[in-house]
Each structure stands twice: as C-alpha cells, then as structure tokens.
Amino acid sequence: MTTSIIGFPRIGENRELKFNTEKYWRNEITEAQLQDFAKNLRKEHWELVKNAGIDDIPSNDFSFFDNTLDTAVLFNIIPDNVKALDLSPLDRYFALARGYHGDKGDVKALPMKKWYNTNYHYLVPQVYEDTDIKLNGTKIFDEYQEAKDAGIQTRPTLVGPFTLLSLSEYHNSKPDTIFDKLVDTYKQVFAKLADQGAEWIQLDEPELVKDVTGEKYDLFIRVYKELLKDKQTNLKILVQTYFGDVRDVYDDLINLPIDGVGLDFHEGRKTAELVKSGFPDDKVLFAGVVNGKNIWRNHYEDTINLIKSLPAKNIVLSTSCSLLHVPFTIENEEFPEDIKKHFAFAKEKLTELKEIQAILSGKDQAAETRNKELFEKPRVKEDPKVHERVASLQDDDFTRHPSLEERAKIQKAEFKLPVLPTTTIGSFPQTKEVRKTRAQFRKHEITQEEYDKFLAGHIDEWLKWQEDIGLDVLVHGEFERNDMVEYFGQNLDGYLFSKNGWVQSYGTRGVKPPIIWGDVARNKPITVKWSKYAQSKTDKIVKGMLTGPVTILNWSFPREDISKRESTIQIALAIQDEVLDLEKNGIKIIQIDEAALREKLPLRKSDWYSEYLDWAIPAFRLVHSKVKPETQIHTHMCYSEFTDIIPAIQNMDADVISFEASRSNLEILDALQAEHFKLQVGPGVYDIHSPRIPSVDEIKNTIHKIIDKVPVQKVWINPDCGLKTRGIKEAKASVENLTEAAKEVRAEVKEEI
Ligand code: GLN
Ligand code: ZN
C-alpha cells in the first residue's frame, strides 16, 4: 500500500507566500524575485512531503491566489476587459483576483465564493458567449517540470471539468457554449503532461458530492464520456472527490475508464458503505482516511479496521481533502505536551499516513501502541457540570414564551420606538489606533486601567455621535474585540488558541480558527462590563452584542469525540448565561449574531434539516429562551441568500433580524413577502463592504422598496453589516445619511397613515 495527499498548504510554514506576494503588490520586490521565491517554496514543500515518506506527491496544488482561477486561466476563461490590459501574465492574473485600477485601465475583481463547506474561497470563472477556450499559460506544465528537475515525480492536479463547468457563471451562455472545446483542451493538457513524463493526473471533482441528479447528472456523464473517448495517452487519471460521499454517481464513477477514484471517508458518511458494495480490481482507490479538515490525531485502529474491511485490491492511503484546510505544523506551537500530542496539522498528517502504512504492513508496532494510548483516556478536558446541564435540558428549554406576537405588543409598549427605527449592526471602525492599543494591552505594555480608559473614551465619543445624529437604538462599538469568535473563545472554558495556526481563507488572507479543546462553559461575564457602562451613559437603549453558538462552532476546529450538535448546545448554554446576565444588568435589547449560520448548510439539500438545521436552530433558541417577554432579541446574518431556509430562520424565534440585502437587489424581500415572514426585519439599506457613501435619496429609495414589500411596522433601518472595516469618515457620513433618510420616509409614512 502506498501513500498520497491531495494538496499541501502553499502559504508556507510562516505564511511566507502571503508576505512575499503582498510585498510584490506594494512594488517592494520584482516579479522575478516573487517567482524565484515561489519556486523555492514549491521545492521546499515537495521535499518536505517526500522526506516524510509520502509516495505519490501532487504538483500544481501551489497557487498565487486560487486553483480554480489557475484552471480558468489555463483554459483562457478570462473576461475581455482583463485580457485587454497591457500587463504581464502574472499581473493580469492578479487583476482577475483583485481587480486593477491604474494607468492601464480599470477592472473589477472576479466574484469570490466559498469553496463548498469550507472557509476557503475560490474565484468564480465567468463564461461569455465568445469565451474562446484554448490552452493559455503553462503553470501546470512548468510546475511538473520543476519538480521533475528536482528529482521528484509528481501528479499534477487540476480542477476537473465537471466541477469547473458547474462552478462557472454564465453570461448569455451555458455549459454547452464551451463544452466541446473545453473537453478538447483538457485532452491537450493530458497529452502534454504525458509527453513530459507524467504518469498520473488528478482531477478534483468535489461537485460530485452534492446532489447530482437530473441535468447535473447528465452533464457529468456526458463530460466524462467525451473526455475519455479515444484516449490517446497512457496518462492515468485520478478523479478526486472530497467533502462528502458520491452516492448519486458511485456506480458510474467506478465504471468509468479511469485509473483511480479518490473518496472521502470522513465527511462522506456513506463512502465506506458504497465501497463495500464493490470496487473494481483494475482501479486504485485513493482512500481519504486522514482528515484533511480537522486537527485531531487519527485513530489508527479505526482507520486500519476500515481499510481492512474494504474490498478494494489497490488502495492508496490518502487524506480526506487537501491539507490546505489545516495549519502547516504544530511544531512551533506552545501547547503543553499532553495537549499537543492530540493534534496533527498538515505536516504531522504526513507522518500519520506513513505510520498507518507501516502498521498495515506490520512494521511499526510502536506507533500503534503510542496511538492507542492517546485514546485510552478522554482526549479533552471534561466538565461534569456541563454534562449534567446538557443532560437535564427539556423541550421547554428550547422554547421562548410568550409567542412572538405577544412579545411584539409588550415590547412596543416598553420601548415606544418610532416607526422605521434606526440602528447599526454593532462594530464601529477599528482604526489603527484601536488595534494598536489592543495589542499593547495584550502584550502588557499598558495597564488594565489605561486600556479601560481608552475603551471608555471611545465608547463615550461614539455614543455621543449616535445621540447627536438621532439613531434610535445605540451600540457600544465593539472596540474591545479583535474578532467576533476569538473574543468569545478567549473568554470561555474549553477553548485553545494557536500562535501560528493559519489557514488560507482567500488569496493572501488567512484565519486562525480557535480549537474547541474541552467542554465549553462560561465562568465569568464577558460583555457585561462594557454594555453596562455604555447603557449608563445614555437615556437611549444600547443593544448588547453577542455571537451566537452556531457561528462560534462553525468558525472553530470542532471536537471529534462528541457531535457538533452537542458542542453547539454547550456553547449555547454558555451564551445563555451571558444573555441572562446582560438582562439582569439592565440591557433591554440583545443582539445575538449568527453571521455564519448559513455557511455550514450541508452540501446536499436533502441533508439540510436532518443533518444541520434541526439542531442548529434549536441551539440558537436555547440561548434566548429564558429572557423576559419585554427583552428584545435581535439576530444578524451576513448573507441574504436564505430565501430557501426562511422557515428555519423564522424558527430561530428572534424578535428582529438584520441581514445583508443591498447587494442582492433586495430579492429576499419577495421571498419574505411570499412566506409571510413574521419577525421584524432590518434588510441592510446600504453595502458596508464598499467605501462609497450612499446618498440620502439613494437610501430613501431603498427604504421605499422595502416598505413596498414588508409591512412598515415591521421594518428596521440599518446598514447591512458591522462598520469595523470602514474608515471613520465614510462610516459616519453613511450612517448620518441613513438616519436622515429614515426620518424623511418616516414623515411621509405618518402622513399617509
Ligand atoms: N456585530 C458584529 C459587527 O458589527 C457582526 C459582524 C458580522 O456580521 N460579521 O461587527
Ligand atoms: Zn454581518
């Protein structure tokens, strides 16, 4: 049995690729210097993987920005306006990724979307009626050659045609517009690689783990039929899937005239069952047994039993997905040894593959014993009090009383807010000064007193501004928070933070997800101090501001020994404690952000409720079910794409929800209208992601569109997300225009009534 991986984190052990690329963007190094650096980095990584004992090593998994973009560029799927820019190929590539504004022209970046159920983002290829598919660029060939010259035979990787066709956006065109030429050009790539001496190619086809039925199924069958017809080369083809199982196409897939099939045994709930139903002797099964998405050590005994139970004759031990989704190495982390030994980041996963291989061939008894010991005692810090609390939950703990309608009446009397009340989503600009002061405090360069004084000063200033411009419901501004999840993680038991555990999110951007290490509990109030302070400074209502349990879980590395449901319930109880403390301390409106709720919807629609929403929504309700009727609960979501889960959103049973709407042309309003949405809503009236300041008239216009569709009594007026990434000037000007617009429309509406 041999070993392989699907891809390796290209950012480098210390995010060297990020820093060098950004230097290049700032004109601090030349293109030749950047290319040179990248070449060395690739070589370093191939050697690292090779020295770890991995047999089959991928190439072209490197990217300056994104592999889907690389693939689009390889096939010349490049909008005309970018092609027309008089730039070097590399700069044109960056223009696609980031937009270009300069003396050579002005183009917008390609849209970016989440890569399946990960926090990685890909650039969406844009197909037009005249898109001229042909070989363009040599990256995949060059990188193969580079490795070969370094004495390493690699398996070039490429986004597969089915996934590429499925992810592309079509303008006056459809997959058929480019189908024939695309298939043809893939074949040219095969021929060229075979000429160079490549033995295998890996086609990444994660699209196959979604619901592949109807037209989609036909497309898959057709594209592979054409691709494999009259095969001219000996190049072996691996169709690599990940992030789920391929239940809709398993039989078709294993009967294709290809040489290898890559399957995910972690997220693919049905993968083992499918393989057990039969796997052909003439194909290689690339068995994704080491989890590429999480950071816990593999359970060797389970893995070995699984491998032994599979009927496949030729098995390559592999990871469940590219290692791109985990941090580089645990080596430099400062966790205590007895914690550290439970984790495997990318580099350590290579060792795991090697050890599993050795154990299977009876060569490494010691590794087996060491691994067994890891699982003899609980891997995490357990807290019996948390267990008791979770076990004692009753249905009623997930239900708020009285009903939404009753509460609305009570709250209306309590708050006496005007029609179309105005508010913001929570954060105000995180200026350099704010970030610097927070860092100084973290490094103990300033005292708690000095830091508190700084925060209080900021809160005072921004409260005064909010009062002056006449906002109805105020916020304290979140100056004490670096990040909406990390801040809570740092204040909860059961969380761990790495120093260097970066995972690529998009381009040169990374995230450092916290690790849920034990049972989660809150041992002291987190936000009460500043919320209470802010409320004491004004007669208007100041909203409390919390992050919800589903978002906290979705942006962390979760435990593997208990279900995500159970982890989320633990977090929900911790946040419930915070909600009740805020309420006790005089906070009358509490916003519980669920920015990432939609993000982890299962890839198969048929799993949406049973696998996710059926516990995620109750977990949210658990957080606020115990508050008094007069306490108003808000929630906020960053996406408007929830037209298809409106009943679930309604089931969250918050009193008010705000969400992004301005960019999607308020489409969601039709859906809300059609579904008789019951909650009060604040569809964002302008896009905070752009520095542009919306005029009063523009916002009035948007408000009119909203109240055309949603009863005016239910509408709140707010921006579409927090303002922390904006500059002070534009943030203030925009919100001032927002309050003015609301006042003007309010006057009109009053007259009408
Ligand atoms: N309350 C948070 C903020 O304003 C919400 C952030 C988000 O939705 N991503 O920053
Ligand atoms: Zn948001």
Side-chain angles (χ1 to χ4, degrees):
M1 226 172 261
T2 57
T3 52
S4 186
I5 56 170
I6 298 171
F8 195 70
R10 58 242 185 179
I11 55 174
E13 182 164 355
N14 294 301
R15 291 184 294 157
E16 298 88 331
L17 182 60
K18 166 194 174 71
F19 298 116
N20 277 278
T21 307
E22 289 175 353
K23 265 190 203 160
Y24 174 68
W25 290 344
R26 292 192 303 261
N27 285 320
E28 290 167 18
I29 58 171
T30 63
E31 177 170 340
Q33 282 171 312
L34 177 64
Q35 295 284 15
D36 232 37
F37 160 80
K39 195 170 165 180
N40 286 329
L41 187 72
R42 288 192 287 267
K43 183 153 175 261
E44 232 175 74
H45 289 175
W46 286 319
E47 280 169 354
L48 186 155
V49 176
K50 189 175 175 179
N51 293 337
I54 300 301
D55 304 299
D56 304 337
I57 303 170
S59 61
N60 203 36
D61 55 334
F62 171 87
S63 179
F64 275 118
F65 212 97
D66 165 48
N67 300 111
T68 304
L69 177 61
D70 297 339
T71 310
V73 169
L74 175 69
F75 293 124
N76 200 34
I77 308 178
I78 305 174
D80 285 342
N81 61 349
V82 178
K83 253 186 250 162
L85 292 173
D86 179 23
L87 295 171
S88 75
L90 182 68
D91 285 347
R92 230 179 273 151
Y93 174 83
F94 284 137
L96 288 163
R98 315 169 58 223
Y100 175 89
H101 315 277
D103 46 2
K104 307 261 167 75
D106 198 2
V107 302
K108 275 213 244 155
L110 294 183
M112 197 160 63
K113 279 198 180 153
K114 263 175 190 297
W115 180 242
Y116 297 90
N117 53 6
T118 73
N119 207 359
Y120 175 78
H121 298 69
Y122 70 97
L123 289 147
V124 185
Q126 305 291 309
V127 175
Y128 297 86
E129 50 200 338
D130 60 350
T131 293
D132 177 22
I133 303 282
K134 60 178 181 201
L135 261 190
N136 167 65
T138 54
K139 178 178 182 290
I140 185 168
F141 311 113
D142 296 346
E143 289 180 15
Y144 171 78
Q145 197 60 44
E146 251 175 62
K148 200 176 170 193
D149 293 346
I152 299 175
Q153 175 65 263
T154 57
R155 180 184 69 232
T157 67
L158 199 55
V159 175
F162 176 62
T163 296
L164 188 68
L165 285 168
S166 304
L167 296 182
S168 295
E169 224 169 85
Y170 296 90
H171 308 269
N172 284 326
S173 58
K174 52 183 195 248
D176 266 334
T177 317
I178 54 168
F179 185 97
D180 293 341
K181 277 198 159 176
L182 185 70
V183 168
D184 230 48
T185 317
Y186 268 98
K187 287 184 184 179
Q188 287 175 37
V189 174
F190 297 171
K192 234 175 142 170
L193 286 172
D195 269 357
Q196 283 179 279
E199 292 160 11
W200 280 87
I201 182 165
Q202 167 186 322
L203 298 176
D204 285 25
E205 293 285 16
E207 190 70 19
L208 289 174
V209 310
K210 294 176 72 173
D211 292 313
V212 185
T213 52
E215 270 175 38
K216 265 189 98 157
Y217 175 80
D218 297 341
L219 180 68
F220 161 66
I221 295 293
R222 201 151 60 92
V223 83
Y224 272 89
K225 191 171 152 221
E226 291 304 318
L227 189 70
L228 302 167
K229 202 160 78 184
D230 321 317
K231 213 175 145 220
Q232 312 259 324
T233 70
N234 295 327
L235 187 72
K236 293 187 180 136
I237 295 177
L238 159 63
V239 173
Q240 179 66 56
T241 67
Y242 37 80
F243 305 145
D245 62 61
V246 294
R247 67 186 83 148
D248 293 333
V249 294
Y250 180 74
D251 287 329
D252 303 290
L253 194 57
I254 58 168
N255 288 313
L256 286 176
I258 54 174
D259 307 277
V261 176
L263 302 175
D264 178 344
F265 284 84
H266 276 270
E267 275 187 283
R269 269 185 303 124
K270 296 215 163 155
T271 302
E273 191 186 312
L274 290 167
V275 175
K276 282 179 195 168
S277 73
F279 192 87
D281 289 349
D282 64 342
K283 288 195 174 58
V284 184
L285 170 65
F286 286 72
V289 291
V290 167
N291 193 346
K293 255 201 195 162
N294 208 346
I295 43 75
W296 296 89
R297 289 291 314 271
N298 186 276
H299 192 298
Y300 288 173
E301 200 182 329
D302 286 355
T303 301
I304 284 160
N305 287 339
L306 168 73
I307 292 286
K308 286 187 178 158
S309 74
L310 300 175
K313 230 173 150 187
N314 308 304
I315 297 183
V316 174
L317 299 168
S318 185
T319 53
S320 63
C321 62
S322 168
L323 294 175
L324 164 75
H325 307 292
V326 287
F328 198 95
T329 177
I330 188 113
E331 268 163 23
N332 311 320
E333 296 297 339
E334 287 163 9
F335 304 132
E337 264 325 302
D338 60 330
I339 291 182
K340 206 169 170 175
K341 68 183 183 196
H342 290 287
F343 300 138
F345 292 180
K347 197 171 163 187
E348 292 72 36
K349 287 182 192 279
L350 305 176
T351 311
E352 292 199 314
L353 283 166
K354 198 66 210 158
E355 287 185 350
I356 296 167
Q357 180 190 34
I359 296 167
L360 274 162
S361 50
K363 282 193 205 131
D364 199 347
Q365 191 61 47
E368 196 173 358
T369 314
R370 275 198 312 273
N371 187 267
K372 226 184 203 132
E373 280 167 11
L374 290 178
F375 296 89
E376 272 163 6
K377 278 184 267 153
R379 287 203 279 183
V380 303
K381 201 172 124 233
E382 295 201 315
D383 181 345
K385 278 195 291 264
V386 172
H387 287 219
E388 264 167 49
R389 208 169 153 195
V390 172
S392 69
L393 288 172
Q394 309 284 325
D395 282 355
D396 209 48
D397 290 308
F398 297 88
T399 315
R400 187 173 171 198
H401 301 291
S403 71
L404 181 75
E405 292 78 7
E406 285 297 310
R407 275 151 31 208
K409 277 184 223 149
I410 297 169
Q411 291 164 15
K412 196 170 169 199
E414 170 85 15
F415 300 132
K416 303 196 177 58
L417 290 167
V419 65
L420 298 172
T422 52
T423 189
T424 61
I425 305 303
S427 59
F428 287 133
Q430 295 247 334
T431 55
K432 266 209 182 103
E433 190 200 7
V434 170
R435 278 180 280 141
K436 196 180 101 200
T437 311
R438 217 171 33 224
Q440 282 175 328
F441 176 61
R442 203 179 50 234
K443 292 188 219 141
H444 305 290
E445 288 167 17
I446 56 171
T447 62
Q448 178 85 48
E449 243 173 35
E450 286 169 307
Y451 183 54
D452 284 356
K453 208 170 145 211
F454 173 83
L455 291 176
H458 263 66
I459 294 173
D460 294 348
E461 220 176 89
W462 282 88
L463 282 174
K464 173 150 191 328
W465 170 74
Q466 294 175 80
E467 285 182 332
D468 288 348
I469 68 168
L471 275 162
D472 298 304
V473 174
L474 316 190
V475 296
H476 77 287
E478 301 181 25
F479 301 107
E480 74 287 5
R481 304 180 192 181
N482 38 0
D483 170 286
M484 64 189 291
V485 169
E486 193 169 66
Y487 179 72
F488 285 89
Q490 273 160 349
N491 285 289
L492 291 172
D493 287 348
Y495 261 93
L496 269 186
F497 292 86
S498 66
K499 277 212 148 52
N500 203 26
W502 294 95
V503 177
Q504 189 176 11
S505 169
Y506 65 93
T508 60
R509 297 300 193 92
V511 291
K512 201 150 59 72
I515 300 168
I516 304 181
W517 159 250
D519 289 322
V520 175
R522 190 200 70 147
N523 59 22
K524 57 176 192 306
I526 303 171
T527 65
V528 173
K529 173 171 156 185
W530 291 118
S531 286
K532 201 173 152 186
Y533 173 81
Q535 186 60 83
S536 75
K537 291 280 179 166
T538 175
D539 294 333
K540 291 218 164 156
I541 298 172
V542 181
K543 269 196 281 194
M545 199 56 67
L546 305 174
T547 303
V550 186
T551 296
I552 294 183
L553 184 98
N554 283 349
W555 283 345
S556 309
F557 283 119
R559 282 167 67 171
E560 287 184 344
D561 60 320
I562 60 172
S563 65
K564 290 191 179 152
R565 174 189 174 274
E566 192 168 346
S567 254
T568 310
I569 298 284
Q570 291 185 359
I571 301 169
L573 286 170
I575 304 294
Q576 182 193 68
D577 292 346
E578 185 72 12
V579 166
L580 295 176
D581 264 344
L582 283 173
E583 185 182 61
K584 232 182 277 160
N585 281 280
I587 305 302
K588 299 192 149 108
I589 299 186
I590 301 168
Q591 179 173 312
I592 306 160
D593 292 327
E594 281 293 12
L597 187 122
R598 197 190 191 283
E599 223 175 89
K600 287 280 150 73
L601 266 183
L603 294 173
R604 280 173 200 279
K605 225 171 174 168
S606 45
D607 290 341
W608 279 6
Y609 281 85
S610 58
E611 295 282 310
Y612 183 66
L613 293 170
D614 283 350
W615 57 259
I617 302 297
F620 180 86
R621 285 204 308 264
L622 179 61
V623 173
H624 68 88
S625 61
K626 299 235 167 343
V627 299
K628 295 185 271 188
E630 58 268 34
T631 298
Q632 190 170 69
I633 298 295
H634 290 215
T635 188
H636 165 74
M637 296 215 275
C638 284
Y639 301 91
S640 59
E641 293 154 21
F642 54 74
T643 324
D644 38 10
I645 51 166
I646 285 182
I649 304 291
Q650 198 141 272
N651 253 326
M652 292 167 80
D653 202 26
D655 298 297
V656 183
I657 177 169
S658 65
F659 49 85
E660 182 204 278
S662 48
R663 267 197 299 189
S664 54
N665 291 323
L666 304 163
E667 274 162 33
I668 176 110
L669 300 176
D670 293 319
L672 296 180
Q673 188 180 33
E675 305 251 0
H676 305 289
F677 196 66
K678 287 191 285 195
L679 319 188
Q680 296 172 53
V681 287
V685 294
Y686 78 88
D687 174 15
I688 63 95
H689 306 88
S690 146
R692 217 179 130 262
I693 299 165
S695 69
V696 175
D697 279 344
E698 207 177 312
I699 299 178
K700 276 174 73 179
N701 215 340
T702 305
I703 299 176
H704 278 128
K705 280 194 202 147
I706 296 173
I707 59 179
D708 270 354
K709 304 251 159 108
V710 181
V712 67
Q713 291 80 4
K714 282 198 176 162
V715 175
W716 285 67
I717 305 299
N718 46 259
D720 70 353
C721 197
L723 297 165
K724 72 169 163 226
T725 55
R726 294 272 61 93
I728 293 183
K729 251 175 126 178
E730 76 232 24
K732 283 192 171 168
S734 302
V735 177
E736 279 163 28
N737 287 353
L738 175 148
T739 45
E740 179 55 32
K743 271 178 217 158
E744 290 181 20
V745 180
R746 205 176 276 162
E748 296 167 16
V749 173
K750 279 248 171 74
E751 275 164 30
E752 270 175 41
I753 297 175

